[in-house]
Every structure is written in structure tokens, then in C-alpha cells.
């Protein structure tokens, strides 16, 4: 396929919303890793998700290069399947998991358990049993009551290494529902009210637990580097206070993830190198100020590794012009991408596989579900002659879409297709009615 580099209006000198391999192809198509998107829509059906394997790997390597002395742990909640587990292992990343299911999937691929971090604000007994059985490297304690519950399950002979998730009191993130570093929400333990120190004292009193460091997570889609620098300063000051009060020097510091990507052309999205320079410089300065050795740093990118590598494909089912607006309804929606309904997330959309001379007009791309809030993209520019049967591509779709997909209206979750070097392969097949029927065991 002959193709030329893809450059959309407004994307020059800004973070691209498309994978680096994306290129314009004949007939109005876009090729990703040498494979046409319209061709993929025909072959695998729609809705479908396309994942550029080489883009994922390149972004994983960019984080390792930005922080060569740190541990880079992929946040599996963004999207996980067997292939992604393999890619992360091969690229030298760890895994951050939040459930026994994610743990078991990693185990089926032989992922080294010592490179796995388990956390979550309410870990189930099954989560803890699975973590201890598989021998995960770190368990992040998120509440005081979890301390005794975890310690009681450790059989030994070695203590389980743990971190305590603390709230540094920092507001950061694209939406209130995904800001997790400030006081007054369900995650972590506050520095301000003493609950973090109280829990740390409890952990230090448990011989079956080995406290190795602090963990924090500020939020998601954080477009600035400054909040991370401020978190480092506050956490290092707390590490110094713990040393002075309890005589312990904790060797690790986990800053979580939340690193932003561009969803629209022009969106701010610092590079891993930009995050890395500020974090490491601030950490060295803060430790020198408090007379502490520099702890081993961990970061947990998820979205920034996988989101820009993914593209959602839909087929237009209906076009409605009413009340001065144009609604373009597609065969997916909030069942495969709940982010616009949950967080007001915004996307760009492009028609692929057909050219025309029609002018561009503002349209709202909506889903097929029985909700007025089932809107995938507001006020996007599409050709005026968009019609049922056209294929629409939504870039930056690799994170928190398939992983959050639901069975609403029994439409079935979409497939995920990997592309690399001119070839495609199915990673996750489409969920069909037989899958849904098999769960219905009642009479």
C-alpha cells in the first residue's frame, strides 16, 4: 500500500493523536503500521479496536529511557490482554494490577511476579490470596484495616513487602472524578490528618510485613509536570519525618501514573523525558535537603503507553439533521467507550475509506444505546456527505475503553486487532450472543 505521512490540520509541532506509523493511503483511507483502517473494518467488522504494537513498544521504551534508574510499571487497568502482558515483559516493564483477574492473566503468561504491584482501595480476600500465592513483589496498603488482614494471610517464611499509599494533598487531573491525590476521597491515607503515619506505625509493628516505601497517585490525564515535583517534595519531607520518629529509612518511592496524552490536536502532553527530568531533579534536591539517600523510584504509566497506539473503528448507521444539528449515529457507543459519559472526555473523528469534495461541517457522533448521554464526540468536523455505511476512525483510543466496556443492551464487546509491519492479527475476538447466553443459567 502506497501511503504518505499523516499530518492533520493543527497537529504540526504538537503531540499527534495518531500513532507514528499512521499515514494517508489511497481512497481516503489511513494506514496504520502499513494496514488500511477501512480494510480492517471490512475484515473484522465494527465496532473494532486497532492497536499498533510497535507504537506500544516504542512508548514503553521511551519511559525506560527517560528514567533509566527507575522501575517502570505498566498500569494494567488501562488495557490488558495476553499479548500486552507479553509486550510489557519483553520491554522490561513491570505490571501494576488491581484485581485477582489481572494477576491470574499475568500468571498465565509467566510474567515475573516480583515485577508485579497490587493495589486498590478495597482488595477482596481473593485478591490478597492470589497475590500471596503468586508471590507479587509489592502490595500497596490503602487503609489501616487492610494491614492486619494482609498480615494474617502471610504464611512465610519471608515477610510480604508492602508500600503505603498516601495522599499528599495535591489537586491534579483532567476531571474531579479522576483526581486522587487530594484529601477527602476513597483512595489512600492522608498526610494532613495523621492517618498515613498511623497506618505506617501499624505496618512497622507487623513482623509478617516489610515496609519498603511510600506510594501515591495524583490522578489521571495530568497535563503538567509541576504536580509531580510538588508530590516529590512533600513525600520526601514525610520520609524524613518517618526516619526521625521511627528510625527507618524507606528505600522506595512510587509516584504512580496519570501522565497525559493528546486526545485532540494541540492538547498538552509532556513527553516521558520531560516528566523524567523534573521528577529526578526534584527528588535528588529534596533528598539532599533532608539528608536522605535517594530512594528507588517507581512510576506507573498506563494511558501514556497504550492510548496513542489505539484507534476505534465504527460504521455509520444513521445520519439525522434536526434543530440545526447533525447527529451521526454509529454501531458502538458508551458500551465500548464510557469515557465521554463519565468524564466529559473529548475525541477527534475522521472518516476513512472514502474521498469526496464535500465541505466539512460540525457534527455530533453518537452511539446506538438508549441513553441521551451516549455521545462519543461533540462538534467534530466531518464531510457534509457522511452517510450510512461510512467508516469513522477515532484515534487515541487504546486506554480505558475496551477495559471499561460493558454488556449494555447485549451488544457484545468489540474485538481488538493488533497491527505491525503490514500485518494484522486478532488479540481479543468479538463477544457474541453465545457468550452472553452461556452466562444466563437461570430457568
Amino acid at each position: 500500500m502506497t501511503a504518505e505521512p499523516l499530518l492533520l490540520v493543527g497537529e504540526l509541532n504538537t503531540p499527534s493523536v495518531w500513532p507514528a506509523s499512521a499515514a494517508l493511503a489511497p481512497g481516503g483511507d489511513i494506514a496504520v503500521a502499513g494496514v488500511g483502517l477501512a480494510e480492517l473494518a471490512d475484515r473484522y467488522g465494527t465496532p473494532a479496536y486497532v492497536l499498533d504494537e510497535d507504537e506500544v513498544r516504542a512508548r514503553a521504551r521511551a519511559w525506560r529511557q527517560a528514567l533509566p534508574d527507575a522501575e517502570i510499571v505498566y498500569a494494567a487497568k488501562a488495557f490488558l490482554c495476553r499479548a500486552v502482558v507479553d509486550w510489557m515483559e519483553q520491554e522490561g516493564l513491570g505490571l501494576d494490577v488491581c484485581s485477582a483477574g489481572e494477576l491470574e492473566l499475568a500468571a498465565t503468561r509467566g510474567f515475573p511476579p516480583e515485577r508485579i504491584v497490587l493495589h486498590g482501595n478495597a482488595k477482596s480476600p481473593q485478591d490478597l490470596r492470589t497475590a500471596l500465592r503468586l508471590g507479587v513483589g509489592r502490595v500497596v496498603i490503602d487503609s489501616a484495616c487492610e494491614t492486619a488482614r494482609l498480615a494474617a494471610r502471610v504464611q512465610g517464611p519471608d515477610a510480604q513487602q508492602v508500600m503505603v499509599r498516601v495522599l499528599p494533598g495535591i489537586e491534579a487531573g483532567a476531571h474531579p472524578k479522576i483526581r486522587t491525590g487530594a484529601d477527602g476521597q476513597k483512595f489512600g491515607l492522608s498526610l494532613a490528618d495523621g492517618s498515613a503515619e498511623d497506618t505506617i506505625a501499624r505496618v512497622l509493628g507487623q513482623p509478617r510485613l516489610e515496609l519498603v516505601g511510600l506510594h501515591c497517585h495524583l490522578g489521571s490525564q495530568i497535563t503538567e509536570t509541576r504536580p509531580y515535583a510538588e508530590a516529590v517534595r512533600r513525600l520526601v519531607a514525610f520520609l524524613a519525618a518517618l526516619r526521625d520518629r521511627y528510625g527507618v529509612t524507606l528505600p522506595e518511592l512510587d509516584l504512580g501514573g496519570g501522565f497525559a496524552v493528546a486526545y485532540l490536536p494541540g492538547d498538552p502532553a509532556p513527553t516521558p523525558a520531560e516528566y523524567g527530568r523534573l521528577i529526578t531533579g526534584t527528588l535528588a534536591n529534596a533528598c539532599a535537603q533532608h539528608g536522605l539517600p535517594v530512594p528507588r523510584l517507581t512510576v506507573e504509566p498506563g494511558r501514556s503507553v497504550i492510548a496513542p497506539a489505539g484507534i476505534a473503528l465504527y460504521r455509520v448507521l444513521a445520519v439525522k439533521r434536526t434543530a440545526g444539528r447533525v447527529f451521526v449515529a454509529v454501531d458502538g457507543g458508551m458500551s465500548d467507550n464510557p469515557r465521554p459519559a463519565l468524564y466529559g472526555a473529548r475525541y477527534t473523528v475522521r472518516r476513512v475509506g472514502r474521498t469526496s469534495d464535500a465541505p466539512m461541517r460540525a457534527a455530533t457522533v453518537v452511539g446506538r444505546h438508549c441513553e441521551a448521554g451516549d455521545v462519543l464526540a461533540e462538534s467534530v468536523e466531518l464531510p457534509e456527505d457522511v452517510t450510512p455505511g461510512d467508516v469513522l476512525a477515532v484515534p487515541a483510543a487504546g486506554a480505558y475503553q475496551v477495559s471499561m466496556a460493558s454488556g449494555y443492551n447485549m451488544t457484545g464487546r468489540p474485538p481488538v486487532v493488533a497491527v505491525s509491519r503490514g500485518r494484522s492479527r486478532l488479540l481479543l475476538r468479538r463477544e457474541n450472543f453465545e457468550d452472553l447466553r452461556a452466562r444466563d443459567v437461570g430457568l
Side-chain angles (χ1 to χ4, degrees):
M1 175 181 292
T2 302
E4 59 184 89
L6 177 62
L7 181 65
L8 301 185
V9 175
E11 291 189 8
L12 187 62
N13 297 324
T14 65
S16 177
V17 298
W18 297 90
S21 69
L24 295 173
D29 203 2
I30 291 176
V32 175
V35 185
L37 295 180
E39 171 192 336
L40 292 170
D42 289 339
R43 179 176 177 183
Y44 295 99
T46 55
Y49 281 78
V50 178
L51 200 58
D52 184 337
E53 175 183 346
D54 299 318
E55 178 85 8
V56 174
R57 290 179 179 274
R59 288 178 170 272
R61 289 194 293 272
W63 274 106
R64 292 196 64 200
Q65 292 163 3
L67 291 164
D69 298 322
E71 185 175 6
I72 311 300
V73 177
Y74 171 70
K77 60 185 177 178
F79 173 68
L80 196 68
C81 66
R82 292 187 298 180
V84 171
V85 172
D86 292 346
W87 299 345
M88 295 304 112
E89 196 278 329
Q90 291 160 9
E91 297 300 335
L93 272 63
L95 283 180
D96 157 39
V97 301
C98 298
S99 72
E102 291 173 349
L103 273 171
E104 293 284 12
L105 181 62
T108 66
R109 306 304 296 170
F111 194 91
E114 66 274 11
R115 285 164 50 190
I116 297 177
V117 178
L118 170 69
H119 63 92
N121 70 296
K123 303 176 191 68
S124 71
Q126 183 183 8
D127 295 336
L128 296 177
R129 283 195 301 268
T130 305
L132 294 172
R133 173 172 56 84
L134 295 176
V136 300
R138 306 285 187 273
V139 175
V140 179
I141 290 178
D142 199 275
S143 62
C145 60
E146 193 172 86
T147 305
R149 188 161 63 242
L150 175 61
R153 296 180 180 277
V154 177
Q155 299 300 310
D158 298 325
Q160 172 63 50
Q161 294 189 334
V162 301
M163 308 183 88
V164 171
R165 179 167 176 172
V166 303
L167 296 171
I170 295 172
E171 288 273 2
H175 190 279
K177 291 182 179 178
I178 50 176
R179 295 173 190 158
T180 57
D183 290 333
Q185 40 84 27
K186 73 174 189 174
F187 292 105
L189 295 144
S190 173
L191 295 180
D193 68 8
S195 58
E197 183 175 338
D198 177 68
T199 300
I200 286 170
R202 294 188 187 201
V203 173
L204 292 173
Q206 290 283 355
R208 294 181 179 178
L209 303 180
E210 179 187 355
L211 181 64
V212 296
L214 301 180
H215 180 286
C216 83
H217 183 76
L218 300 180
S220 294
Q221 191 60 6
I222 299 171
T223 58
E224 296 181 299
T225 57
R226 290 179 299 171
Y228 295 96
E230 182 58 28
V232 167
R233 285 188 284 267
R234 296 186 188 188
L235 292 176
V236 170
F238 187 53
L239 286 172
L242 295 175
R243 175 201 59 194
D244 297 342
R245 194 159 300 154
Y246 299 99
V248 295
T249 299
L250 300 181
E252 299 184 19
L253 182 62
D254 189 329
L255 289 180
F259 310 105
V261 302
Y263 284 100
L264 299 176
D267 277 354
T271 65
E274 290 174 297
Y275 286 116
R277 282 193 296 269
L278 186 64
I279 288 170
T280 53
T282 305
L283 182 59
N285 291 337
C287 288
Q289 179 184 347
H290 290 280
L292 284 171
V294 176
R296 178 172 174 78
L297 181 67
T298 298
V299 295
E300 300 171 356
R303 180 196 315 269
S304 68
V305 171
I306 204 98
I311 298 167
L313 299 178
Y314 301 101
R315 201 170 290 275
V316 176
L317 298 180
V319 179
K320 184 182 295 184
R321 294 173 172 85
T322 180
R325 300 181 67 186
V326 178
F327 293 94
V328 178
V330 298
D331 53 1
M334 65 191 301
S335 63
D336 67 86
N337 182 9
R339 294 186 68 251
L342 284 173
Y343 314 132
R346 298 184 62 202
Y347 291 85
T348 189
V349 180
R350 185 181 175 98
R351 184 174 69 182
V352 297
R354 184 164 78 88
T355 60
S356 77
D357 296 325
M360 303 296 281
R361 293 287 185 265
T364 298
V365 179
V366 299
R368 60 172 296 182
H369 298 290
C370 299
E371 303 282 346
D374 182 21
V375 176
L376 287 174
E378 290 268 14
S379 301
V380 294
E381 293 288 310
L382 287 173
E384 193 174 48
D385 65 348
V386 64
T387 189
D390 282 346
V391 176
L392 302 185
V394 181
Y400 300 107
Q401 293 184 208
V402 174
S403 66
M404 297 174 73
S406 73
Y408 190 37
N409 293 154
M410 291 192 174
T411 55
R413 288 172 291 185
V416 178
V417 178
V419 290
S420 177
R421 302 178 185 181
R423 304 184 67 179
S424 68
R425 62 188 174 105
L426 196 62
L427 300 185
L428 295 178
R429 66 168 175 80
R430 187 180 304 280
E431 188 175 43
N432 58 36
F433 177 71
E434 287 305 308
D435 297 319
L436 302 174
R437 185 193 62 79
R439 295 184 64 240
D440 190 347
V441 297
L443 298 178

